[in-house]
Amino acid sequence: MLEEMEEGGMEFNLFTCTSLLVAYSKARDVEKAEKMWRSMLERGFRPDLKCYNALLSLYSSLGELNGAEKVVEEMERSGVERDRVSWLSLLGVCGRRGRLEEGVRMHEKVVSRGLWPGREKECTYLTTALIGMYASCGGLEEAEKVFKVHFEAKGEVEVSVYSSMIGAYAQYGLGEKALGVFGELCAKGLRPDVFTFSSLLTALSVALLPDKVLEIVGGMEKNFGMTPRVSHHSCVVDALANAGRLEEAEDYMRKTELIRSDVPTLVCLLMGCKNYGEYERAARILRGVREMVDLEVRKFLKEKKGGAWTWVGSNLHWFGEENPHPEMENVSNKALEIFNTLSNAGYTPQASPQSPKEEMLEKELCGHLEMQAIALALMKMEEMGEVKEQVVVFKNMSVCVDCHEASKWISKVFGKTIKLKESRRWHVFKDGVCSCSDCW
Ligand SMILES: [Zn+2]
Ligand SMILES: [Zn+2]
């Protein structure tokens, strides 16, 4: 790469290479950034912390843990110490991939190296990154601990830290807790910002508290001198649609100029129609929007491919509609075994009038992606002789009622905590009960 550029008359030293590497990383051009990095190593340049941080931030923004790990290895080989900026990227990528164990290790490292907690501004960034990482990996209690430790070390909590804690509660649908933190923030005389409101409104929407959402958005101007933005209005529609108040949701969208042709908001409304079986309304809404928006919406809805996954150590096990898992046969057998154990304990799948015969239901239930992921996690625990108290599974779409019910039973019969992240929230199943109290 450098040869070509030199032929073009450019001259290279560590400084120009670093600048280029940083520029490629910022432009998210992985190919060029990696090439530049390799060229630098080949030429005997010693990339400094700035280069490594640029690469880490690039991999973090892409959610590529493997790439980030390669960089870390190289840093260790060449004796370049990671600073707080490096850790921010690493925690970010860890959260995006849902790697709780790895996250715990990273947390321990920043503490043992004296990088966190502390009074510096960068420590606050690390606090929000740690809270975000834990919340995304299924570690809400750990996130709460981080919040507490930050407060104890600093004697105060900044708006950004409050917001990230509210965002964590949002992922678990804990609307009341989010409101509690918000109240604390206001009581301290701090001024919530745009992100605080987005997190809070999301929490209330997931918790099915649409009236609270309406109240808060309605009072933003008067109480906080802040004009609600697109994302805030969108939350209102989402909250109403989530709660099945579709007429109001549609009305709000029509009346609010800012979101009238906002595609993500429209998708929220349509999802609500789908969840509550109001297909005629959905069809009417779709007919009413401009053709271009319509196309965009269809693309948006179509692009979502279903998948569920879990981590075993550092191995990702993905269950999707497209590529069958290599150990599918064992997983299916394990799922059947689980199902039989549950049946013996008294579990029967909820048979709705449209449900097929029980046998069909059994087969179908075991074919659900989230069930396969749970079955694999339990299977691997046995294979590896590891007794873990919890199973963490992710799904990029909504969890179905049957799997939700079955997960409750698994938590009771197998004595495990099942943490299941669906597209927008966590369900934590313990002793036969779910944290969402069956409202989601
Ligand atoms: Zn299911
Ligand atoms: Zn639940």
Side-chain angles (χ1 to χ4, degrees):
M1 176 180 211
L2 290 181
E3 285 73 23
E4 288 163 30
M5 293 172 111
E6 269 167 349
E7 276 167 25
M10 280 182 87
E11 205 181 299
F12 286 98
N13 52 37
L14 182 60
F15 178 75
T16 46
C17 286
T18 304
S19 312
L20 278 168
L21 180 62
V22 171
Y24 291 143
S25 300
K26 279 202 178 129
R28 292 196 179 191
D29 191 332
V30 190
E31 205 182 317
K32 282 194 180 145
E34 281 181 347
K35 258 190 182 169
M36 179 55 77
W37 182 30
R38 273 197 301 274
S39 301
M40 286 173 82
L41 292 176
E42 279 162 16
R43 294 222 163 178
F45 288 152
R46 289 175 62 100
D48 58 8
L49 188 58
K50 203 172 162 199
C51 292
Y52 287 120
N53 278 347
L55 284 167
L56 283 177
S57 141
L58 170 67
Y59 288 123
S60 171
S61 67
L62 300 168
E64 276 194 30
L65 194 54
N66 291 344
E69 276 168 352
K70 259 191 333 213
V71 178
V72 169
E73 273 170 30
E74 182 57 38
M75 287 174 92
E76 280 171 356
R77 234 196 322 270
S78 46
V80 179
E81 265 295 316
R82 276 161 282 181
D83 67 353
R84 292 194 179 98
V85 178
S86 333
W87 286 106
L88 279 180
S89 298
L90 288 168
L91 288 166
V93 69
C94 189
R96 285 180 65 155
R97 301 310 302 269
R99 295 273 306 273
L100 184 59
E101 287 166 30
E102 187 61 34
V104 171
R105 270 197 291 277
M106 289 186 185
H107 185 182
E108 284 166 1
K109 280 188 189 157
V110 292
V111 172
S112 68
R113 287 167 196 205
L115 297 170
W116 188 89
R119 303 188 61 86
E120 296 91 336
K121 200 167 78 198
E122 288 78 14
C123 287
T124 302
Y125 298 152
L126 272 180
T127 302
T128 56
L130 282 165
I131 292 175
M133 179 277 291
Y134 276 128
S136 309
C137 293
L140 183 64
E141 284 155 26
E142 287 89 342
E144 285 173 330
K145 263 183 232 152
V146 167
F147 183 84
K148 212 171 139 238
V149 171
H150 175 86
F151 175 70
E152 281 162 4
K154 245 196 140 166
E156 58 168 359
V157 176
E158 301 86 336
V159 173
S160 61
V161 176
Y162 275 120
S163 300
S164 61
M165 201 57 230
I166 293 174
Y169 286 131
Q171 287 199 43
Y172 293 79
L174 297 170
E176 295 294 344
K177 286 215 171 190
L179 272 176
V181 175
F182 182 73
E184 201 180 301
L185 178 162
C186 296
K188 292 242 167 83
L190 294 169
R191 204 181 123 84
D193 60 21
V194 179
F195 302 107
T196 320
F197 279 109
S198 297
S199 304
L200 177 65
L201 296 171
T202 306
L204 298 172
S205 172
V206 175
L208 300 181
L209 297 168
D211 290 319
K212 272 276 163 215
V213 172
L214 280 165
E215 183 191 318
I216 285 172
V217 173
M220 273 174 77
E221 195 93 60
K222 191 172 128 241
N223 303 329
F224 301 96
M226 201 180 282
T227 312
R229 305 216 181 160
V230 170
S231 64
H232 305 135
H233 286 303
S234 186
C235 267
V236 176
V237 174
D238 186 51
L240 289 167
N242 262 342
R245 285 158 62 173
L246 297 161
E247 187 69 38
E248 277 173 82
E250 205 185 329
D251 226 41
Y252 190 91
M253 190 169 171
R254 200 172 32 230
K255 280 190 198 142
T256 313
E257 177 78 48
L258 264 181
I259 50 166
R260 201 170 293 153
S261 49
D262 181 52
V263 173
T265 309
L266 191 59
V267 171
C268 292
L269 182 57
L270 291 172
M271 291 309 275
C273 295
K274 184 173 162 255
N275 291 339
Y276 288 91
E278 293 213 20
Y279 296 107
E280 277 173 30
R281 183 191 297 276
R284 180 172 50 71
I285 293 170
L286 270 175
R287 274 197 304 273
V289 292
R290 295 198 319 273
E291 201 173 319
M292 191 193 74
V293 176
D294 182 21
L295 276 177
E296 261 184 87
V297 172
R298 280 182 209 283
K299 210 175 95 204
F300 197 92
L301 290 174
K302 214 173 129 195
E303 264 173 11
K304 262 201 136 183
K305 287 206 181 80
W309 65 98
T310 186
W311 290 93
V312 177
S314 56
N315 294 323
L316 171 75
H317 292 268
W318 166 266
F319 295 88
E321 275 144 15
E322 304 204 314
N323 306 328
H325 189 277
E327 293 174 73
M328 202 53 222
E329 209 182 312
N330 294 340
V331 173
S332 299
N333 289 339
K334 182 71 193 172
L336 268 175
E337 188 193 310
I338 293 172
F339 183 83
N340 288 334
T341 312
L342 296 187
S343 296
N344 291 338
Y347 163 74
T348 36
Q350 295 165 331
S352 62
Q354 299 91 346
S355 286
K357 291 202 306 277
E358 197 176 304
E359 189 192 343
M360 282 295 292
L361 207 61
E362 173 182 335
K363 275 222 179 79
E364 209 207 307
L365 183 59
C366 297
H368 288 190
L369 304 170
E370 59 270 49
M371 274 301 127
Q372 293 171 355
I374 292 175
L376 176 120
L378 292 173
M379 183 177 99
K380 289 288 169 191
M381 258 186 227
E382 271 170 27
E383 275 179 22
M384 292 158 44
E386 266 187 284
V387 184
K388 287 196 188 135
E389 276 160 25
Q390 63 175 27
V391 168
V392 184
V393 167
F394 300 83
K395 194 184 183 202
N396 61 4
M397 300 182 95
S398 303
V399 58
C400 79
V401 181
D402 286 336
C403 288
H404 192 268
E405 194 59 25
S407 302
K408 288 200 269 180
W409 278 82
I410 295 174
S411 73
K412 193 166 94 183
V413 175
F414 290 82
K416 304 266 181 234
T417 302
I418 313 265
K419 294 181 174 175
L420 173 60
K421 169 89 192 279
E422 61 171 351
S423 50
R424 49 184 287 165
R425 67 162 297 158
W426 284 92
H427 295 268
V428 181
F429 304 94
K430 206 175 174 183
D431 300 326
V433 198
C434 181
S435 61
C436 74
S437 318
D438 297 339
C439 287
W440 87 96

